[in-house]
Amino acid sequence: MSRCAWPLLRRLPARAGLTLRHGGGAPRARPTASSSSSSSGDGGGSRAPDTSLFVPVPLKPGLVDAASEDVGAELTRPLDKGEVLKNLNKFYKRKEIQRLGAENGLDARLFHQAFISFRKYIMESSSVSADLHIILNDICCGAGKVCLLGHVDDLFPFFLRHAKQIFPMLDCMDDLRKISDLRLPPNWYPDARAIQRKIIFHAGPTNSGKTYHAIQRFLSAKSGIYCGPLKLLAHEIFQKSNDANVPCDLVTGEERVYANEDARQAPHVACTIEMCSTNTPYEVAVIDEIQMIRDPARGWAWTRALLGLCAEEIHVCGEAAAIDLVTELMYTTGEEVEVRNYKRLTPLTVLDYALESLDNLRPGDCIVCFSKNDIYSVSRQVEARGLECAVIYGSLPPGTKLEQAKKFNDPDDPCKILVATDAIGMGLNLCIRRIIFNSIVKPTVNEKGEKEIDSITTSQALQIAGRAGRFGSSFKQGEVTTMHRDDLVQLKEILSEAVAPVKAAGLHPTPEQIEMFAYHLPDATLSNLIDIFVSLSQVDGMYFVCNIDDFKFLADMIQHIPLNLRSRYVFCTAPLNRKEPFVCTTLLKFARQFSRNEPLTFDWLCRHTKWPLAAPKNIKELVHLEAVHDVFDLYLWLSYRFMDMFPDAVLVRDVQKKLDDIIQVGVCNITKLIRASQSAAAPGTAEVVSEDFPLSRTKRDARVASDRRGAASTEALSIAGEAAGLRRAKNLRASRFGTRQEDLKSYGRGSLANRLLQEGLLTQEMLRQLESEWQDQHRNDRYGFGSKRDDQHSSKGTGKKRK
């Protein structure tokens, strides 16, 4: 009966691209030309995919019900699962099979996963396909016999078929590579390639008039588009244009404001750069802050605007460091770049002395900090000296920032001191006499999405310092210094260095590309699709793929919610801070109700946010109000894309303005909120905000601090590193546990712990766990466990300077 399998067996390998030899020995499998070519990729130059990203599709075992028949068992006999298991394991161990698997796209990882699934499928199935049943029966019958019944190699076609079922990407790898080929971005914009554009690069430092000249050309054109990095900048150009009797619309991610009362589209538009249209023709386009084309998260938007805007003239404004890259990019489109260089309009002097004490502040001073905690600390100390100060930081609503800037600029207002983060670097016109760097280290995110704390770059230092002595203000020259004497030398070095050239432009997968990927991989999650896309993507040396961690975070968060791919993609591109739990939770609720096709009304939003809200009584309440403002922004952003499901944009915009006023009241009374937060702190704890300047001021200080404090876990170290100015907390070793118990107590009860508690990065339970682990480690050190290793690390740490 088992001989019936031979005609079927002889046909199967040919379909799988294999041939078998029969006759004086065991059958063998070898690749044919078609199978080898299919695994070679597109020309052999493409990199191997990261197969760790390939998630197997689960297959259910075959079951036989009472009404159906097991054809294979009728033709042969029921399988002996014990013998089947032995032969499957022999199949797995054969080097020839492993090599053949590699030739068909199965590396060691995929081969192992596919075999485990294949074996489980066979062993748990009460019935398999007739052809596979016959092959298995022949192999089991012929085991140990010199005959031609069957050989374990004959399983390979069935194994490969199973592997391609659980890893569907194996069958379409060439198509996936073509879809993710990002080597010719200019070709994505046929409308722009159809015209000959004139590119004019306005290069110069802050306060050099470069953007002013570009805007003058924008205003004189018959039609134009301004693309800026911030809503504040887009709004400024929108107002300037309409004030100059040039009708101009405003387009941001959250709204569209028409210059014409009848909602007709104006010939000019000012927009945030992500919102620019690459299909509408213009006479003049202005792309501001072009150096941000290298931004790890948003650089793709500048690349898209530069390559895709359909305008006769493209005016590019920014640092001279971007000239070479822009010239190279335009060379690939056949367009020449005219460079116009500008010099600073007012002198900028780096002082030879540091401020050293807030007692030395003068009207027009701006203290620049790089964390909210420093903002809170410095502003309280300033007002403790009887001085009134304005406060500006990144998470404040745009309206509040403008009001604080207006308050500081007003010569009749008693507020003469500004405490701000680097949010003042662009988008605000400020009358600053002197910039004072409270610190010269700043938390950043590198191109891999990893958080670092490092000295500010020359570009960042120049951008911030250049805000002093603005042309047209009451201060005819600007001054720059630091709060601390030992930072001043390093700041001078940073400012004297040449700005690092911009070397690459960012790219991001488009919705269309992801949709094509999903067509080939219908069972993959959106996060997994993005991972595979980036893994297979090919870019040339002038481009890089932007960081997609935020996108993946949102994709994973809403994966369980049933949404179509296009809607899911839109939700995942929503601009929100994933560190804000309230905003993330709101997005989740938005997506869930959206999936049920239930409109998100104004009443629903008010219930969720508990609107109306009162003025904040402490810092925690102020932070929550800022989060609610972000929720309103999120609603407006989604309403622009799903008008039917988010129908109450007008009402939400009205209450957002009221919330802006409430936040302004809180910011004006920020020192009172700080004092209220401190008085509400748990008994026995220190002040929420230290009177000292909490960030370590240099790389050296950060390293000393990290060696002194230690930590109880890698997670706790990364949290502490963010607030304490550590260089890279994740690289700190567990050998730093050998620190005195008293140090933990002071660490756990000091101002750093309270700041972490205040920001919600640390809970009382986590604090108690840290102390408990620290005590356990201290006891281990006392009784000699691991002390030798710690001593070695300690000696290395003190004897060598870390690179």
Side-chain angles (χ1 to χ4, degrees):
M1 184 70 70
S2 62
R3 294 288 181 180
C4 296
W6 275 113
L8 178 64
L9 177 62
R10 296 173 69 87
R11 290 197 302 274
L12 285 172
R15 290 203 307 270
L18 309 169
T19 58
L20 298 177
R21 288 191 290 112
H22 301 288
R28 294 290 181 268
R30 59 187 173 87
T32 63
S34 61
S35 66
S36 61
S37 64
S38 66
S39 63
S40 63
D42 49 355
S46 57
R47 60 178 177 177
D50 181 0
T51 56
S52 66
L53 302 173
F54 293 0
V55 179
V57 178
L59 293 182
K60 294 181 179 179
L63 302 175
V64 177
D65 56 33
S68 62
E69 298 179 356
D70 187 350
V71 177
E74 281 195 4
L75 292 174
T76 57
R77 63 180 183 180
L79 294 173
D80 181 346
K81 290 297 180 78
E83 285 297 320
V84 169
L85 180 61
K86 291 179 183 177
N87 284 287
L88 286 174
N89 290 335
K90 287 181 183 177
F91 170 83
Y92 175 73
K93 294 177 181 178
R94 286 186 58 76
K95 298 295 184 185
E96 293 89 342
I97 294 298
Q98 295 175 13
R99 184 172 63 251
L100 195 57
E103 291 171 357
N104 284 273
L106 293 170
D107 64 7
R109 180 195 299 272
L110 295 185
F111 183 85
H112 176 74
Q113 286 183 283
F115 173 74
I116 295 298
S117 175
F118 183 58
R119 183 177 65 185
K120 181 180 179 182
Y121 176 81
I122 292 175
M123 297 305 295
E124 293 184 1
S125 296
S126 56
S127 170
V128 295
S129 63
D131 49 0
L132 177 56
H133 186 109
I134 293 169
I135 292 294
L136 288 169
N137 181 71
D138 285 354
I139 293 171
C140 292
C141 290
K145 301 176 183 179
V146 182
C147 65
L148 298 178
L149 286 179
H151 190 277
V152 291
D153 287 4
D154 298 341
L155 286 172
F156 186 80
F158 302 95
F159 167 73
L160 186 60
R161 182 174 66 190
H162 182 91
K164 289 183 177 181
Q165 283 179 300
I166 67 169
F167 294 116
M169 60 284 295
L170 295 175
D171 250 349
C172 56
M173 193 59 68
D174 288 349
D175 289 334
L176 296 180
R177 281 200 173 97
K178 289 176 183 176
I179 295 168
S180 58
D181 190 340
L182 306 179
R183 287 176 293 186
L184 293 172
N187 293 350
W188 303 349
Y189 308 103
D191 290 345
R193 300 291 78 77
I195 62 175
Q196 187 65 30
R197 306 181 306 170
K198 181 179 181 182
I199 314 297
I200 302 168
F201 195 123
H202 300 264
T206 304
N207 198 17
S208 60
K210 57 185 184 297
T211 308
Y212 169 82
H213 287 89
I215 294 301
Q216 292 304 113
R217 179 67 186 96
F218 166 82
L219 295 174
S220 66
K222 295 178 181 177
S223 63
I225 181 171
Y226 168 84
C227 308
L230 301 172
K231 286 184 282 187
L232 284 173
L233 284 169
H235 195 273
E236 180 185 348
I237 301 303
F238 163 73
Q239 289 223 310
K240 280 185 177 179
S241 297
N242 287 293
D243 290 346
N245 294 319
V246 178
C248 179
D249 293 343
L250 172 67
V251 178
T252 68
E254 294 77 26
E255 64 178 335
R256 174 159 198 149
V257 180
Y258 291 96
N260 299 312
E261 294 181 358
D262 56 358
R264 283 184 298 105
Q265 186 172 331
H268 288 71
V269 60
C271 65
T272 47
I273 194 159
E274 286 87 353
M275 299 301 295
C276 70
S277 168
T278 57
N279 301 319
T280 307
Y282 298 100
E283 182 183 348
V284 169
V286 177
I287 304 174
D288 207 358
E289 306 293 351
I290 186 63
Q291 70 276 2
M292 290 188 71
I293 200 170
R294 65 180 165 199
D295 187 84
R298 297 178 64 199
W300 62 270
W302 276 262
T303 306
R304 174 176 171 270
L306 182 63
L307 297 177
L309 280 175
C310 193
E312 298 170 23
E313 290 181 23
I314 307 284
H315 290 258
V316 178
C317 307
E319 295 176 358
I323 292 176
D324 288 346
L325 177 64
V326 171
T327 303
E328 287 182 44
L329 293 176
M330 293 301 96
Y331 178 79
T332 65
T333 66
E335 295 162 331
E336 294 184 358
V337 178
E338 175 189 339
V339 178
R340 298 178 184 175
N341 289 296
Y342 299 83
K343 294 184 178 180
R344 184 178 166 88
L345 297 174
T346 57
L348 180 66
T349 305
V350 183
L351 301 178
D352 292 327
Y353 53 89
L355 188 71
E356 297 193 289
S357 171
L358 295 177
D359 295 329
N360 299 323
L361 286 173
R362 303 197 308 260
D365 279 349
C366 172
I367 305 171
V368 176
C369 308
F370 294 112
S371 79
K372 266 191 184 180
N373 290 306
D374 283 0
I375 290 284
Y376 299 152
S377 175
V378 173
S379 60
R380 185 188 169 191
Q381 293 178 66
V382 169
E383 296 207 0
R385 287 162 170 80
L387 301 173
E388 192 172 339
C389 67
V391 174
I392 296 174
Y393 51 86
S395 59
L396 285 177
T400 303
K401 291 177 185 173
L402 287 172
E403 283 301 315
Q404 290 290 298
K406 181 180 178 182
K407 178 182 178 182
F408 174 71
N409 289 339
D410 187 353
D412 298 324
D413 196 290
C415 173
K416 300 301 179 187
I417 306 296
L418 176 63
V419 181
T421 64
D422 54 342
I424 65 165
M426 59 179 70
L428 292 168
N429 293 319
L430 296 162
C431 298
I432 298 172
R433 178 205 301 270
R434 179 171 59 174
I435 290 286
I436 302 160
F437 285 91
N438 180 52
S439 168
I440 55 172
V441 293
K442 178 189 177 185
T444 59
V445 176
N446 65 18
E447 64 277 2
K448 296 180 181 178
E450 300 167 333
K451 181 168 288 185
E452 297 181 335
I453 293 188
D454 206 346
S455 298
I456 57 175
T457 64
T458 300
S459 176
Q460 292 167 340
L462 289 171
Q463 185 82 18
I464 298 167
R467 309 306 289 177
R470 175 174 159 267
F471 181 76
S473 72
S474 55
F475 303 115
K476 302 305 179 186
Q477 69 174 38
E479 298 174 342
V480 184
T481 187
T482 58
M483 179 65 68
H484 306 281
R485 189 185 308 171
D486 51 352
D487 283 346
L488 186 56
V489 175
Q490 191 169 355
L491 177 64
K492 287 184 176 181
E493 291 177 0
I494 292 171
L495 291 173
S496 64
E497 293 173 359
V499 177
V502 180
K503 295 181 179 179
L507 296 174
H508 192 281
T510 66
E512 293 75 21
Q513 290 169 324
I514 299 303
E515 281 181 338
M516 287 190 285
F517 249 56
Y519 172 80
H520 290 288
L521 306 175
D523 296 307
T525 66
L526 180 55
S527 177
N528 192 226
L529 284 175
I530 288 287
D531 275 335
I532 296 173
F533 184 98
V534 174
S535 168
L536 294 176
S537 64
Q538 300 177 72
V539 296
D540 65 25
M542 290 188 292
Y543 299 97
F544 68 93
V545 179
C546 285
N547 182 273
I548 52 170
D549 284 350
D550 287 344
F551 184 98
K552 286 174 54 187
F553 171 82
L554 296 180
D556 289 333
M557 187 176 73
I558 65 172
Q559 179 56 41
H560 65 286
I561 299 174
L563 294 168
N564 64 58
L565 182 66
R566 181 62 71 123
S567 297
R568 189 180 299 277
Y569 184 94
V570 171
F571 271 91
C572 292
T573 55
L576 58 80
N577 183 356
R578 59 176 174 171
K579 293 180 183 177
E580 295 180 350
F582 182 70
V583 184
C584 293
T585 302
T586 303
L587 179 71
L588 194 61
K589 291 183 178 181
F590 282 171
R592 189 177 291 120
Q593 188 149 335
F594 181 93
S595 71
R596 296 195 294 259
N597 203 31
E598 298 175 4
L600 289 112
T601 62
F602 175 71
D603 290 339
W604 183 96
L605 188 63
C606 288
R607 287 194 302 272
H608 174 66
T609 58
K610 296 181 173 58
W611 180 264
L613 297 165
K617 298 181 180 64
N618 53 48
I619 291 295
K620 185 177 180 181
E621 291 184 7
L622 176 61
V623 171
H624 178 68
L625 290 180
E626 293 168 6
V628 173
H629 193 280
D630 288 344
V631 165
F632 290 162
D633 260 347
L634 179 61
Y635 184 98
L636 294 172
W637 189 89
L638 289 167
S639 73
Y640 194 81
R641 289 146 184 84
F642 305 111
M643 295 181 184
D644 293 340
M645 297 301 293
F646 297 84
D648 295 331
V650 175
L651 294 173
V652 172
R653 192 167 288 113
D654 288 341
V655 298
Q656 190 182 42
K657 290 176 182 175
K658 295 177 183 176
L659 177 59
D660 207 332
D661 294 337
I662 296 171
I663 293 174
Q664 287 176 35
V665 172
V667 173
C668 289
N669 298 308
I670 195 164
T671 54
K672 293 179 182 177
L673 303 186
I674 295 170
R675 285 196 294 270
S677 299
Q678 291 168 351
S679 62
T685 60
E687 295 181 2
V688 175
V689 181
S690 171
E691 286 295 317
D692 298 326
F693 298 97
L695 271 180
S696 300
R697 298 193 301 273
T698 62
K699 288 185 182 180
R700 182 196 67 236
D701 293 341
R703 291 167 182 161
V704 170
S706 66
D707 289 334
R708 185 174 66 248
R709 289 191 177 94
S713 68
T714 305
E715 181 181 358
L717 271 174
S718 64
I719 295 172
E722 179 180 353
L726 302 178
R727 174 63 177 89
R728 289 184 74 174
K730 72 182 186 67
N731 289 332
L732 297 178
R733 300 176 181 174
S735 61
R736 292 179 180 170
F737 279 132
T739 310
R740 294 180 298 118
Q741 181 179 355
E742 291 74 20
D743 289 343
L744 174 67
K745 289 182 177 179
S746 63
Y747 172 84
R749 296 289 181 256
S751 60
L752 174 61
N754 284 306
R755 289 199 303 277
L756 295 178
L757 287 168
Q758 190 68 26
E759 288 190 37
L761 299 174
L762 195 64
T763 65
Q764 291 289 351
E765 181 60 32
M766 292 169 63
L767 196 58
R768 285 192 290 271
Q769 185 179 349
L770 281 173
E771 187 164 354
S772 174
E773 291 179 8
W774 200 286
Q775 289 171 349
D776 291 343
Q777 183 63 40
H778 180 63
R779 281 194 292 271
N780 289 343
D781 292 340
R782 285 179 59 191
Y783 293 111
F785 299 119
S787 59
K788 182 177 180 180
R789 186 182 224 179
D790 289 345
D791 290 344
Q792 289 174 348
H793 281 294
S794 177
S795 63
K796 288 180 181 179
T798 54
K800 290 184 180 180
K801 184 177 180 181
R802 193 169 65 182
K803 293 182 179 180

